[in-house]
Amino acid sequence: GAVVSQHPSWVICKSGTSVKIECRSLDFQATTMFWYRQFPKQSLMLMATSNEGSKATYEQGVEKDKFLINHASLTLSTLTVTSAHPEDSSFYICSASSGVRSGNTIYFGEGSWLTVV
Amino acid sequence: AQTVTQSQPEMSVQEAETVTLSCTYDTSENNYYLFWYKQPPSRQMILVIRQEAYKQQNATENRFSVNFQKAAKSFSLKISDSQLGDTAMYFCAFMRNDMRFGAGTRLTVKP
Protein backbone atom coordinates (compact mmCIF):
# COMPACT_ATOMS: atom_id res chain seq x y z
CA GLY A 1 0.00 0.00 0.00
CA ALA A 2 0.87 3.66 -0.03
CA VAL A 3 3.64 4.72 2.27
CA VAL A 4 4.80 8.00 3.68
CA SER A 5 8.44 8.16 4.68
CA GLN A 6 9.73 10.70 7.17
CA HIS A 7 13.39 11.46 7.68
CA PRO A 8 15.30 11.70 9.92
CA SER A 9 13.73 9.57 12.64
CA TRP A 10 15.96 11.12 15.27
CA VAL A 11 17.92 14.33 15.20
CA ILE A 12 19.90 16.23 17.79
CA CYS A 13 20.92 19.78 17.04
CA LYS A 14 22.57 22.61 18.87
CA SER A 15 20.55 25.55 20.07
CA GLY A 16 20.50 28.31 17.47
CA THR A 17 20.93 26.04 14.47
CA SER A 18 18.33 24.98 11.92
CA VAL A 19 17.14 21.48 11.20
CA LYS A 20 15.13 20.11 8.29
CA ILE A 21 12.68 17.21 8.40
CA GLU A 22 11.50 15.61 5.17
CA CYS A 23 8.18 13.93 4.45
CA ARG A 24 7.89 11.89 1.26
CA SER A 25 4.98 10.08 -0.29
CA LEU A 26 6.50 7.03 -1.94
CA ASP A 27 3.83 5.79 -4.34
CA PHE A 28 1.12 8.41 -4.62
CA GLN A 29 0.79 12.10 -5.34
CA ALA A 30 0.28 13.95 -2.10
CA THR A 31 -1.64 17.08 -2.95
CA THR A 32 -1.96 17.89 0.73
CA MET A 33 0.42 17.27 3.60
CA PHE A 34 -0.06 18.03 7.26
CA TRP A 35 2.53 18.66 9.96
CA TYR A 36 1.82 17.86 13.58
CA ARG A 37 3.68 18.27 16.82
CA GLN A 38 3.19 15.87 19.70
CA PHE A 39 4.41 16.53 23.22
CA PRO A 40 4.85 13.59 25.62
CA LYS A 41 1.56 12.06 26.67
CA GLN A 42 -0.39 14.55 24.59
CA SER A 43 -2.27 14.55 21.36
CA LEU A 44 -1.17 15.52 17.87
CA MET A 45 -1.45 19.25 17.45
CA LEU A 46 -1.85 20.46 13.88
CA MET A 47 0.85 22.96 13.01
CA ALA A 48 0.14 23.62 9.38
CA THR A 49 -1.54 22.39 6.23
CA SER A 50 0.57 22.29 3.10
CA ASN A 51 -0.85 22.13 -0.41
CA GLU A 52 1.49 21.45 -3.30
CA GLY A 53 2.62 24.61 -4.99
CA SER A 54 0.99 26.90 -2.42
CA LYS A 55 2.08 28.57 0.76
CA ALA A 56 1.34 26.57 3.88
CA THR A 57 -1.57 27.52 6.10
CA TYR A 58 -0.41 27.77 9.68
CA GLU A 59 -2.51 27.21 12.77
CA GLN A 60 -2.94 30.03 15.22
CA GLY A 61 0.02 30.28 17.54
CA VAL A 62 2.48 28.56 15.21
CA GLU A 63 5.30 30.88 14.15
CA LYS A 64 5.58 30.66 10.38
CA ASP A 65 9.03 32.24 10.39
CA LYS A 66 10.28 29.65 12.81
CA PHE A 67 8.65 26.58 11.30
CA LEU A 68 9.22 26.87 7.57
CA ILE A 69 7.15 24.48 5.50
CA ASN A 70 7.79 23.84 1.84
CA HIS A 71 5.71 21.62 -0.44
CA ALA A 72 7.41 22.10 -3.78
CA SER A 73 6.45 18.78 -5.33
CA LEU A 74 3.66 16.24 -5.13
CA THR A 75 5.90 13.82 -3.25
CA LEU A 76 7.88 15.97 -0.86
CA SER A 77 7.19 18.40 1.95
CA THR A 78 9.81 19.72 4.33
CA LEU A 79 9.62 21.27 7.78
CA THR A 80 12.57 23.43 8.77
CA VAL A 81 12.88 24.47 12.39
CA THR A 82 14.94 27.64 12.29
CA SER A 83 17.06 28.93 15.17
CA ALA A 84 16.02 25.94 17.23
CA HIS A 85 15.73 26.22 21.00
CA PRO A 86 15.34 23.51 23.65
CA GLU A 87 11.61 24.21 23.87
CA ASP A 88 11.30 23.12 20.23
CA SER A 89 12.30 19.62 21.27
CA SER A 90 9.38 17.39 20.44
CA PHE A 91 8.02 14.62 18.23
CA TYR A 92 7.05 15.90 14.79
CA ILE A 93 4.90 13.81 12.47
CA CYS A 94 3.64 14.40 8.97
CA SER A 95 0.73 12.97 7.07
CA ALA A 96 -0.22 13.06 3.40
CA SER A 97 -3.29 12.67 1.26
CA SER A 98 -4.11 12.64 -2.44
CA GLY A 99 -7.45 14.29 -1.74
CA VAL A 100 -8.69 15.42 1.66
CA ARG A 101 -12.10 16.76 0.65
CA SER A 102 -12.91 13.56 -1.21
CA GLY A 103 -11.98 11.54 1.83
CA ASN A 104 -8.94 9.85 0.38
CA THR A 105 -6.89 7.98 2.92
CA ILE A 106 -4.48 9.92 5.10
CA TYR A 107 -1.11 8.24 5.48
CA PHE A 108 1.23 9.07 8.34
CA GLY A 109 4.99 9.17 8.41
CA GLU A 110 6.91 7.41 11.14
CA GLY A 111 7.63 10.68 12.94
CA SER A 112 10.80 12.52 13.87
CA TRP A 113 12.19 13.08 17.32
CA LEU A 114 13.92 16.45 17.60
CA THR A 115 16.15 17.20 20.56
CA VAL A 116 17.70 20.65 20.81
CA VAL A 117 20.64 20.88 23.19
CA ALA B 1 -12.59 25.30 13.79
CA GLN B 2 -13.79 21.83 14.53
CA THR B 3 -13.09 20.40 17.97
CA VAL B 4 -12.82 16.79 19.02
CA THR B 5 -13.34 15.72 22.62
CA GLN B 6 -12.30 12.49 24.24
CA SER B 7 -13.41 12.59 27.86
CA GLN B 8 -11.69 9.40 29.02
CA PRO B 9 -7.96 9.96 29.56
CA GLU B 10 -7.41 6.37 30.64
CA MET B 11 -9.33 3.12 30.47
CA SER B 12 -8.60 -0.49 31.22
CA VAL B 13 -10.26 -3.73 30.25
CA GLN B 14 -9.70 -7.39 30.93
CA GLU B 15 -8.46 -9.53 28.10
CA ALA B 16 -11.33 -10.95 26.01
CA GLU B 17 -13.77 -8.36 27.37
CA THR B 18 -15.39 -5.49 25.49
CA VAL B 19 -14.58 -1.81 25.94
CA THR B 20 -16.04 1.36 24.48
CA LEU B 21 -14.10 4.56 23.97
CA SER B 22 -16.05 7.81 23.68
CA CYS B 23 -15.62 10.70 21.28
CA THR B 24 -17.69 13.76 20.55
CA TYR B 25 -17.04 16.51 18.07
CA ASP B 26 -18.33 19.89 17.13
CA THR B 27 -18.86 21.03 13.57
CA SER B 28 -21.27 22.93 11.39
CA GLU B 29 -20.34 20.85 8.36
CA ASN B 30 -22.59 18.16 6.93
CA ASN B 31 -20.01 16.16 5.01
CA TYR B 32 -16.90 15.00 6.82
CA TYR B 33 -14.99 11.92 7.88
CA LEU B 34 -14.28 10.45 11.29
CA PHE B 35 -11.46 8.14 12.28
CA TRP B 36 -10.05 6.19 15.16
CA TYR B 37 -6.29 5.82 15.23
CA LYS B 38 -4.17 3.63 17.47
CA GLN B 39 -0.75 4.85 18.57
CA PRO B 40 1.47 2.25 20.25
CA PRO B 41 4.70 3.21 22.05
CA SER B 42 6.48 3.30 18.68
CA ARG B 43 4.39 6.42 17.95
CA GLN B 44 3.34 5.05 14.56
CA MET B 45 -0.22 6.13 13.75
CA ILE B 46 -2.29 3.08 12.82
CA LEU B 47 -5.73 3.51 11.29
CA VAL B 48 -8.29 1.45 13.17
CA ILE B 49 -11.51 2.45 11.48
CA ARG B 50 -13.09 5.26 9.46
CA GLN B 51 -16.61 6.50 8.99
CA GLU B 52 -18.06 8.71 6.28
CA ALA B 53 -20.62 11.11 7.71
CA TYR B 54 -22.98 10.58 4.80
CA LYS B 55 -23.23 6.87 5.59
CA GLN B 56 -25.81 5.92 8.18
CA GLN B 57 -24.43 2.42 8.61
CA ASN B 58 -21.85 2.09 11.36
CA ALA B 59 -18.42 1.00 10.19
CA THR B 60 -16.96 -2.28 11.40
CA GLU B 61 -13.49 -3.79 11.05
CA ASN B 62 -13.22 -7.24 12.58
CA ARG B 63 -13.24 -6.69 16.38
CA PHE B 64 -13.62 -2.94 16.03
CA SER B 65 -16.90 -1.17 15.45
CA VAL B 66 -18.24 2.33 15.87
CA ASN B 67 -21.48 3.85 17.06
CA PHE B 68 -21.90 6.94 14.91
CA GLN B 69 -24.65 9.29 16.04
CA LYS B 70 -24.54 12.21 13.60
CA ALA B 71 -27.22 14.30 15.25
CA ALA B 72 -25.55 13.93 18.62
CA LYS B 73 -22.09 14.39 17.06
CA SER B 74 -20.88 11.28 18.78
CA PHE B 75 -18.48 8.66 17.47
CA SER B 76 -17.59 5.91 19.93
CA LEU B 77 -15.31 2.95 19.32
CA LYS B 78 -16.14 -0.52 20.59
CA ILE B 79 -13.39 -3.09 20.86
CA SER B 80 -14.65 -6.63 21.28
CA ASP B 81 -12.63 -9.58 22.54
CA SER B 82 -9.87 -7.25 23.71
CA GLN B 83 -6.34 -8.49 23.18
CA LEU B 84 -3.10 -7.55 24.93
CA GLY B 85 -1.90 -6.04 21.66
CA ASP B 86 -4.72 -3.53 21.79
CA THR B 87 -2.93 -1.71 24.59
CA ALA B 88 -2.11 1.73 23.17
CA MET B 89 -3.23 5.33 22.92
CA TYR B 90 -6.38 5.76 20.87
CA PHE B 91 -7.16 9.01 19.11
CA CYS B 92 -10.43 10.07 17.59
CA ALA B 93 -10.03 12.33 14.55
CA PHE B 94 -12.24 14.58 12.47
CA MET B 95 -11.46 15.40 8.87
CA ARG B 96 -12.96 17.95 6.55
CA ASN B 97 -10.32 20.31 5.14
CA ASP B 98 -7.71 19.00 7.58
CA MET B 99 -7.48 16.35 10.27
CA ARG B 100 -7.78 17.21 13.93
CA PHE B 101 -7.43 14.92 16.89
CA GLY B 102 -8.94 14.49 20.30
CA ALA B 103 -6.78 14.38 23.41
CA GLY B 104 -6.59 10.61 23.31
CA THR B 105 -7.50 7.71 25.56
CA ARG B 106 -4.83 5.43 26.98
CA LEU B 107 -6.21 1.90 26.88
CA THR B 108 -4.65 -0.89 28.88
CA VAL B 109 -5.71 -4.47 28.32
CA LYS B 110 -5.04 -6.57 31.39
CA PRO B 111 -4.29 -10.29 31.25
Side-chain angles (χ1 to χ4, degrees), chain A residues 36 38 42-44 91 93-95 106-111, chain B residues 35-40 42-48 89-93 99 101-102:
Chain A
Y36 295 87
Q38 187 178 27
Q42 293 190 23
S43 185
L44 283 73
F91 184 71
I93 189 166
C94 70
S95 65
I106 299 274
Y107 296 95
F108 282 83
E110 306 94 331
Chain B
F35 304 83
W36 279 97
Y37 279 91
K38 171 184 177 180
Q39 188 181 48
S42 68
R43 295 279 186 135
Q44 179 69 46
M45 296 294 285
I46 301 168
L47 176 63
V48 175
M89 282 291 293
Y90 286 82
F91 292 102
C92 176
M99 179 176 277
F101 292 85

mmCIF file of all heavy atoms in Angstrom, chain A residues 36 38 42-44 91 93-95 106-111, chain B residues 35-40 42-48 89-93 99 101-102:
data_model
loop_
_atom_site.group_PDB
_atom_site.id
_atom_site.type_symbol
_atom_site.label_atom_id
_atom_site.label_comp_id
_atom_site.label_asym_id
_atom_site.label_seq_id
_atom_site.Cartn_x
_atom_site.Cartn_y
_atom_site.Cartn_z
ATOM 1 N N TYR A 36 2.310 17.868 12.213
ATOM 2 C CA TYR A 36 1.825 17.863 13.583
ATOM 3 C C TYR A 36 3.015 17.868 14.541
ATOM 4 O O TYR A 36 4.109 17.394 14.217
ATOM 5 C CB TYR A 36 0.987 16.606 13.863
ATOM 6 C CG TYR A 36 -0.291 16.505 13.065
ATOM 7 C CD1 TYR A 36 -0.289 15.926 11.797
ATOM 8 C CD2 TYR A 36 -1.500 16.959 13.583
ATOM 9 C CE1 TYR A 36 -1.457 15.814 11.066
ATOM 10 C CE2 TYR A 36 -2.680 16.847 12.853
ATOM 11 C CZ TYR A 36 -2.648 16.267 11.600
ATOM 12 O OH TYR A 36 -3.811 16.158 10.878
ATOM 13 N N GLN A 38 3.760 16.645 18.604
ATOM 14 C CA GLN A 38 3.191 15.874 19.702
ATOM 15 C C GLN A 38 4.127 15.918 20.896
ATOM 16 O O GLN A 38 5.248 15.401 20.842
ATOM 17 C CB GLN A 38 2.936 14.426 19.294
ATOM 18 C CG GLN A 38 2.180 13.628 20.349
ATOM 19 C CD GLN A 38 1.876 12.201 19.919
ATOM 20 O OE1 GLN A 38 2.579 11.611 19.108
ATOM 21 N NE2 GLN A 38 0.798 11.629 20.452
ATOM 22 N N GLN A 42 0.641 13.654 25.099
ATOM 23 C CA GLN A 42 -0.385 14.554 24.592
ATOM 24 C C GLN A 42 -0.791 14.140 23.178
ATOM 25 O O GLN A 42 -0.252 13.205 22.607
ATOM 26 C CB GLN A 42 0.111 16.001 24.611
ATOM 27 C CG GLN A 42 0.330 16.548 26.007
ATOM 28 C CD GLN A 42 0.577 18.044 25.998
ATOM 29 O OE1 GLN A 42 0.199 18.751 25.076
ATOM 30 N NE2 GLN A 42 1.217 18.534 27.048
ATOM 31 N N SER A 43 -1.748 14.877 22.666
ATOM 32 C CA SER A 43 -2.273 14.547 21.357
ATOM 33 C C SER A 43 -1.433 15.177 20.249
ATOM 34 O O SER A 43 -0.474 15.894 20.506
ATOM 35 C CB SER A 43 -3.709 15.038 21.258
ATOM 36 O OG SER A 43 -4.298 14.634 20.036
ATOM 37 N N LEU A 44 -1.817 14.891 19.017
ATOM 38 C CA LEU A 44 -1.171 15.515 17.865
ATOM 39 C C LEU A 44 -1.805 16.879 17.649
ATOM 40 O O LEU A 44 -3.027 16.992 17.464
ATOM 41 C CB LEU A 44 -1.373 14.674 16.613
ATOM 42 C CG LEU A 44 -0.515 13.413 16.457
ATOM 43 C CD1 LEU A 44 -0.964 12.317 17.398
ATOM 44 C CD2 LEU A 44 -0.577 12.912 15.013
ATOM 45 N N PHE A 91 8.243 15.615 19.278
ATOM 46 C CA PHE A 91 8.021 14.623 18.235
ATOM 47 C C PHE A 91 7.210 15.296 17.135
ATOM 48 O O PHE A 91 6.137 15.845 17.404
ATOM 49 C CB PHE A 91 7.269 13.432 18.821
ATOM 50 C CG PHE A 91 7.055 12.287 17.874
ATOM 51 C CD1 PHE A 91 8.111 11.496 17.476
ATOM 52 C CD2 PHE A 91 5.776 11.990 17.394
ATOM 53 C CE1 PHE A 91 7.905 10.422 16.617
ATOM 54 C CE2 PHE A 91 5.568 10.936 16.531
ATOM 55 C CZ PHE A 91 6.638 10.145 16.138
ATOM 56 N N ILE A 93 5.399 14.864 13.352
ATOM 57 C CA ILE A 93 4.896 13.813 12.472
ATOM 58 C C ILE A 93 4.128 14.440 11.307
ATOM 59 O O ILE A 93 3.408 15.416 11.489
ATOM 60 C CB ILE A 93 4.023 12.799 13.255
ATOM 61 C CG1 ILE A 93 3.689 11.589 12.403
ATOM 62 C CG2 ILE A 93 2.770 13.446 13.806
ATOM 63 C CD1 ILE A 93 3.133 10.426 13.217
ATOM 64 N N CYS A 94 4.326 13.888 10.146
ATOM 65 C CA CYS A 94 3.640 14.403 8.967
ATOM 66 C C CYS A 94 2.610 13.385 8.491
ATOM 67 O O CYS A 94 2.668 12.205 8.837
ATOM 68 C CB CYS A 94 4.626 14.701 7.836
ATOM 69 S SG CYS A 94 5.350 13.230 7.086
ATOM 70 N N SER A 95 1.666 13.861 7.726
ATOM 71 C CA SER A 95 0.726 12.974 7.068
ATOM 72 C C SER A 95 0.448 13.526 5.681
ATOM 73 O O SER A 95 0.665 14.707 5.414
ATOM 74 C CB SER A 95 -0.577 12.825 7.866
ATOM 75 O OG SER A 95 -1.270 14.044 7.925
ATOM 76 N N ILE A 106 -5.609 9.162 4.563
ATOM 77 C CA ILE A 106 -4.483 9.917 5.097
ATOM 78 C C ILE A 106 -3.430 8.922 5.539
ATOM 79 O O ILE A 106 -3.728 7.981 6.285
ATOM 80 C CB ILE A 106 -4.914 10.764 6.311
ATOM 81 C CG1 ILE A 106 -5.999 11.766 5.906
ATOM 82 C CG2 ILE A 106 -3.716 11.453 6.930
ATOM 83 C CD1 ILE A 106 -5.506 13.062 5.351
ATOM 84 N N TYR A 107 -2.212 9.115 5.091
ATOM 85 C CA TYR A 107 -1.109 8.236 5.484
ATOM 86 C C TYR A 107 -0.133 9.031 6.340
ATOM 87 O O TYR A 107 0.210 10.165 6.007
ATOM 88 C CB TYR A 107 -0.401 7.677 4.256
ATOM 89 C CG TYR A 107 -1.286 6.778 3.418
ATOM 90 C CD1 TYR A 107 -1.970 7.303 2.312
ATOM 91 C CD2 TYR A 107 -1.456 5.442 3.723
ATOM 92 C CE1 TYR A 107 -2.798 6.496 1.551
ATOM 93 C CE2 TYR A 107 -2.277 4.629 2.965
ATOM 94 C CZ TYR A 107 -2.952 5.161 1.881
ATOM 95 O OH TYR A 107 -3.772 4.361 1.131
ATOM 96 N N PHE A 108 0.327 8.402 7.411
ATOM 97 C CA PHE A 108 1.233 9.067 8.336
ATOM 98 C C PHE A 108 2.668 8.600 8.151
ATOM 99 O O PHE A 108 2.924 7.422 7.866
ATOM 100 C CB PHE A 108 0.804 8.799 9.784
ATOM 101 C CG PHE A 108 -0.363 9.626 10.222
ATOM 102 C CD1 PHE A 108 -1.655 9.228 9.927
ATOM 103 C CD2 PHE A 108 -0.169 10.815 10.904
ATOM 104 C CE1 PHE A 108 -2.736 9.998 10.310
ATOM 105 C CE2 PHE A 108 -1.252 11.595 11.280
ATOM 106 C CZ PHE A 108 -2.533 11.189 10.985
ATOM 107 N N GLY A 109 3.590 9.534 8.337
ATOM 108 C CA GLY A 109 4.988 9.171 8.413
ATOM 109 C C GLY A 109 5.283 8.540 9.762
ATOM 110 O O GLY A 109 4.422 8.482 10.648
ATOM 111 N N GLU A 110 6.523 8.094 9.905
ATOM 112 C CA GLU A 110 6.909 7.413 11.138
ATOM 113 C C GLU A 110 7.220 8.383 12.270
ATOM 114 O O GLU A 110 7.376 7.982 13.418
ATOM 115 C CB GLU A 110 8.143 6.528 10.890
ATOM 116 C CG GLU A 110 7.978 5.544 9.738
ATOM 117 C CD GLU A 110 8.522 6.114 8.440
ATOM 118 O OE1 GLU A 110 8.518 7.361 8.256
ATOM 119 O OE2 GLU A 110 8.944 5.316 7.579
ATOM 120 N N GLY A 111 7.337 9.676 11.924
ATOM 121 C CA GLY A 111 7.634 10.681 12.938
ATOM 122 C C GLY A 111 9.122 10.937 13.095
ATOM 123 O O GLY A 111 9.960 10.106 12.720
ATOM 124 N N PHE B 35 -12.428 9.229 12.205
ATOM 125 C CA PHE B 35 -11.462 8.144 12.285
ATOM 126 C C PHE B 35 -11.154 7.812 13.746
ATOM 127 O O PHE B 35 -11.263 8.657 14.638
ATOM 128 C CB PHE B 35 -10.133 8.547 11.619
ATOM 129 C CG PHE B 35 -10.253 8.986 10.192
ATOM 130 C CD1 PHE B 35 -10.615 10.290 9.884
ATOM 131 C CD2 PHE B 35 -9.981 8.103 9.159
ATOM 132 C CE1 PHE B 35 -10.723 10.711 8.560
ATOM 133 C CE2 PHE B 35 -10.086 8.524 7.835
ATOM 134 C CZ PHE B 35 -10.459 9.818 7.545
ATOM 135 N N TRP B 36 -10.724 6.590 13.936
ATOM 136 C CA TRP B 36 -10.047 6.191 15.165
ATOM 137 C C TRP B 36 -8.669 5.681 14.767
ATOM 138 O O TRP B 36 -8.541 4.832 13.866
ATOM 139 C CB TRP B 36 -10.810 5.089 15.898
ATOM 140 C CG TRP B 36 -11.941 5.607 16.719
ATOM 141 C CD1 TRP B 36 -13.257 5.682 16.383
ATOM 142 C CD2 TRP B 36 -11.847 6.134 18.049
ATOM 143 N NE1 TRP B 36 -13.985 6.219 17.408
ATOM 144 C CE2 TRP B 36 -13.153 6.501 18.441
ATOM 145 C CE3 TRP B 36 -10.786 6.322 18.955
ATOM 146 C CZ2 TRP B 36 -13.430 7.057 19.698
ATOM 147 C CZ3 TRP B 36 -11.073 6.869 20.194
ATOM 148 C CH2 TRP B 36 -12.385 7.230 20.552
ATOM 149 N N TYR B 37 -7.662 6.243 15.440
ATOM 150 C CA TYR B 37 -6.287 5.820 15.228
ATOM 151 C C TYR B 37 -5.743 5.230 16.518
ATOM 152 O O TYR B 37 -6.060 5.666 17.616
ATOM 153 C CB TYR B 37 -5.401 7.006 14.825
ATOM 154 C CG TYR B 37 -5.490 7.369 13.369
ATOM 155 C CD1 TYR B 37 -6.420 8.302 12.919
ATOM 156 C CD2 TYR B 37 -4.643 6.791 12.428
ATOM 157 C CE1 TYR B 37 -6.512 8.644 11.581
ATOM 158 C CE2 TYR B 37 -4.717 7.125 11.086
ATOM 159 C CZ TYR B 37 -5.654 8.048 10.672
ATOM 160 O OH TYR B 37 -5.736 8.380 9.347
ATOM 161 N N LYS B 38 -4.879 4.249 16.357
ATOM 162 C CA LYS B 38 -4.167 3.634 17.471
ATOM 163 C C LYS B 38 -2.717 4.084 17.392
ATOM 164 O O LYS B 38 -2.117 4.088 16.304
ATOM 165 C CB LYS B 38 -4.256 2.117 17.334
ATOM 166 C CG LYS B 38 -3.405 1.303 18.279
ATOM 167 C CD LYS B 38 -3.532 -0.185 17.947
ATOM 168 C CE LYS B 38 -2.640 -1.025 18.822
ATOM 169 N NZ LYS B 38 -2.763 -2.473 18.488
ATOM 170 N N GLN B 39 -2.154 4.472 18.531
ATOM 171 C CA GLN B 39 -0.747 4.848 18.573
ATOM 172 C C GLN B 39 -0.044 4.044 19.664
ATOM 173 O O GLN B 39 -0.158 4.346 20.841
ATOM 174 C CB GLN B 39 -0.566 6.357 18.818
ATOM 175 C CG GLN B 39 0.878 6.820 18.669
ATOM 176 C CD GLN B 39 1.076 8.292 18.932
ATOM 177 O OE1 GLN B 39 0.598 8.821 19.939
ATOM 178 N NE2 GLN B 39 1.791 8.971 18.043
ATOM 179 N N PRO B 40 0.701 3.027 19.268
ATOM 180 C CA PRO B 40 1.469 2.248 20.248
ATOM 181 C C PRO B 40 2.695 3.042 20.676
ATOM 182 O O PRO B 40 2.922 4.147 20.177
ATOM 183 C CB PRO B 40 1.853 0.996 19.448
ATOM 184 C CG PRO B 40 1.868 1.450 18.030
ATOM 185 C CD PRO B 40 0.822 2.530 17.921
ATOM 186 N N SER B 42 5.625 2.930 19.818
ATOM 187 C CA SER B 42 6.479 3.297 18.683
ATOM 188 C C SER B 42 6.092 4.645 18.078
ATOM 189 O O SER B 42 6.848 5.222 17.294
ATOM 190 C CB SER B 42 6.398 2.228 17.590
ATOM 191 O OG SER B 42 5.101 2.222 17.000
ATOM 192 N N ARG B 43 4.920 5.135 18.430
ATOM 193 C CA ARG B 43 4.386 6.417 17.951
ATOM 194 C C ARG B 43 3.845 6.339 16.519
ATOM 195 O O ARG B 43 3.374 7.349 15.994
ATOM 196 C CB ARG B 43 5.421 7.532 18.030
ATOM 197 C CG ARG B 43 5.864 7.891 19.432
ATOM 198 C CD ARG B 43 4.884 8.811 20.102
ATOM 199 N NE ARG B 43 5.352 9.287 21.390
ATOM 200 C CZ ARG B 43 5.271 10.547 21.794
ATOM 201 N NH1 ARG B 43 4.734 11.458 21.020
ATOM 202 N NH2 ARG B 43 5.709 10.889 22.983
ATOM 203 N N GLN B 44 3.924 5.188 15.896
ATOM 204 C CA GLN B 44 3.341 5.052 14.562
ATOM 205 C C GLN B 44 1.825 5.169 14.653
ATOM 206 O O GLN B 44 1.203 4.573 15.530
ATOM 207 C CB GLN B 44 3.710 3.698 13.944
ATOM 208 C CG GLN B 44 3.122 3.471 12.560
ATOM 209 C CD GLN B 44 3.729 4.366 11.503
ATOM 210 O OE1 GLN B 44 4.940 4.523 11.422
ATOM 211 N NE2 GLN B 44 2.899 4.977 10.682
ATOM 212 N N MET B 45 1.232 5.955 13.775
ATOM 213 C CA MET B 45 -0.220 6.134 13.754
ATOM 214 C C MET B 45 -0.823 5.014 12.904
ATOM 215 O O MET B 45 -0.519 4.891 11.708
ATOM 216 C CB MET B 45 -0.592 7.488 13.177
ATOM 217 C CG MET B 45 -0.104 8.649 14.020
ATOM 218 S SD MET B 45 -0.900 8.714 15.628
ATOM 219 C CE MET B 45 -2.521 9.327 15.192
ATOM 220 N N ILE B 46 -1.689 4.225 13.507
ATOM 221 C CA ILE B 46 -2.292 3.081 12.823
ATOM 222 C C ILE B 46 -3.792 3.309 12.716
ATOM 223 O O ILE B 46 -4.475 3.497 13.727
ATOM 224 C CB ILE B 46 -2.018 1.784 13.612
ATOM 225 C CG1 ILE B 46 -0.512 1.555 13.749
ATOM 226 C CG2 ILE B 46 -2.684 0.581 12.926
ATOM 227 C CD1 ILE B 46 -0.144 0.471 14.732
ATOM 228 N N LEU B 47 -4.292 3.308 11.491
ATOM 229 C CA LEU B 47 -5.725 3.506 11.289
ATOM 230 C C LEU B 47 -6.489 2.278 11.782
ATOM 231 O O LEU B 47 -6.213 1.158 11.381
ATOM 232 C CB LEU B 47 -6.017 3.742 9.806
ATOM 233 C CG LEU B 47 -7.490 3.883 9.426
ATOM 234 C CD1 LEU B 47 -8.097 5.115 10.092
ATOM 235 C CD2 LEU B 47 -7.646 3.967 7.913
ATOM 236 N N VAL B 48 -7.453 2.524 12.653
ATOM 237 C CA VAL B 48 -8.286 1.446 13.174
ATOM 238 C C VAL B 48 -9.564 1.325 12.361
ATOM 239 O O VAL B 48 -9.937 0.242 11.910
ATOM 240 C CB VAL B 48 -8.629 1.693 14.660
ATOM 241 C CG1 VAL B 48 -9.599 0.630 15.175
ATOM 242 C CG2 VAL B 48 -7.365 1.732 15.500
ATOM 243 N N MET B 89 -2.445 4.104 22.917
ATOM 244 C CA MET B 89 -3.234 5.334 22.917
ATOM 245 C C MET B 89 -4.181 5.267 21.735
ATOM 246 O O MET B 89 -3.794 4.833 20.641
ATOM 247 C CB MET B 89 -2.330 6.554 22.766
ATOM 248 C CG MET B 89 -1.611 6.980 24.028
ATOM 249 S SD MET B 89 -2.726 7.643 25.267
ATOM 250 C CE MET B 89 -3.273 9.152 24.489
ATOM 251 N N TYR B 90 -5.399 5.715 21.948
ATOM 252 C CA TYR B 90 -6.382 5.758 20.874
ATOM 253 C C TYR B 90 -6.837 7.201 20.682
ATOM 254 O O TYR B 90 -7.249 7.868 21.626
ATOM 255 C CB TYR B 90 -7.577 4.855 21.177
ATOM 256 C CG TYR B 90 -7.246 3.390 21.020
ATOM 257 C CD1 TYR B 90 -6.602 2.695 22.038
ATOM 258 C CD2 TYR B 90 -7.538 2.708 19.841
ATOM 259 C CE1 TYR B 90 -6.261 1.362 21.885
ATOM 260 C CE2 TYR B 90 -7.210 1.370 19.685
ATOM 261 C CZ TYR B 90 -6.571 0.709 20.716
ATOM 262 O OH TYR B 90 -6.235 -0.617 20.557
ATOM 263 N N PHE B 91 -6.758 7.648 19.437
ATOM 264 C CA PHE B 91 -7.157 9.008 19.112
ATOM 265 C C PHE B 91 -8.342 8.999 18.160
ATOM 266 O O PHE B 91 -8.342 8.283 17.153
ATOM 267 C CB PHE B 91 -6.003 9.765 18.446
ATOM 268 C CG PHE B 91 -4.840 10.031 19.358
ATOM 269 C CD1 PHE B 91 -3.696 9.261 19.278
ATOM 270 C CD2 PHE B 91 -4.895 11.063 20.286
ATOM 271 C CE1 PHE B 91 -2.622 9.504 20.106
ATOM 272 C CE2 PHE B 91 -3.821 11.317 21.122
ATOM 273 C CZ PHE B 91 -2.677 10.535 21.034
ATOM 274 N N CYS B 92 -9.314 9.822 18.473
ATOM 275 C CA CYS B 92 -10.430 10.074 17.593
ATOM 276 C C CYS B 92 -10.059 11.269 16.718
ATOM 277 O O CYS B 92 -9.429 12.219 17.212
ATOM 278 C CB CYS B 92 -11.675 10.384 18.440
ATOM 279 S SG CYS B 92 -13.150 10.827 17.530
ATOM 280 N N ALA B 93 -10.408 11.239 15.457
ATOM 281 C CA ALA B 93 -10.029 12.328 14.552
ATOM 282 C C ALA B 93 -11.182 12.705 13.644
ATOM 283 O O ALA B 93 -11.965 11.865 13.214
ATOM 284 C CB ALA B 93 -8.819 11.909 13.709
ATOM 285 N N MET B 99 -7.167 17.387 9.279
ATOM 286 C CA MET B 99 -7.481 16.352 10.265
ATOM 287 C C MET B 99 -7.076 16.827 11.651
ATOM 288 O O MET B 99 -5.922 17.223 11.862
ATOM 289 C CB MET B 99 -6.749 15.050 9.931
ATOM 290 C CG MET B 99 -7.023 13.935 10.930
ATOM 291 S SD MET B 99 -6.247 12.369 10.490
ATOM 292 C CE MET B 99 -7.460 11.713 9.335
ATOM 293 N N PHE B 101 -7.344 16.042 15.973
ATOM 294 C CA PHE B 101 -7.433 14.919 16.890
ATOM 295 C C PHE B 101 -7.985 15.312 18.250
ATOM 296 O O PHE B 101 -7.829 16.450 18.699
ATOM 297 C CB PHE B 101 -6.042 14.307 17.088
ATOM 298 C CG PHE B 101 -5.507 13.640 15.861
ATOM 299 C CD1 PHE B 101 -4.844 14.363 14.885
ATOM 300 C CD2 PHE B 101 -5.679 12.282 15.668
ATOM 301 C CE1 PHE B 101 -4.364 13.748 13.744
ATOM 302 C CE2 PHE B 101 -5.197 11.652 14.537
ATOM 303 C CZ PHE B 101 -4.537 12.398 13.571
ATOM 304 N N GLY B 102 -8.592 14.330 18.908
ATOM 305 C CA GLY B 102 -8.944 14.495 20.303
ATOM 306 C C GLY B 102 -7.712 14.295 21.169
ATOM 307 O O GLY B 102 -6.619 14.003 20.671
#
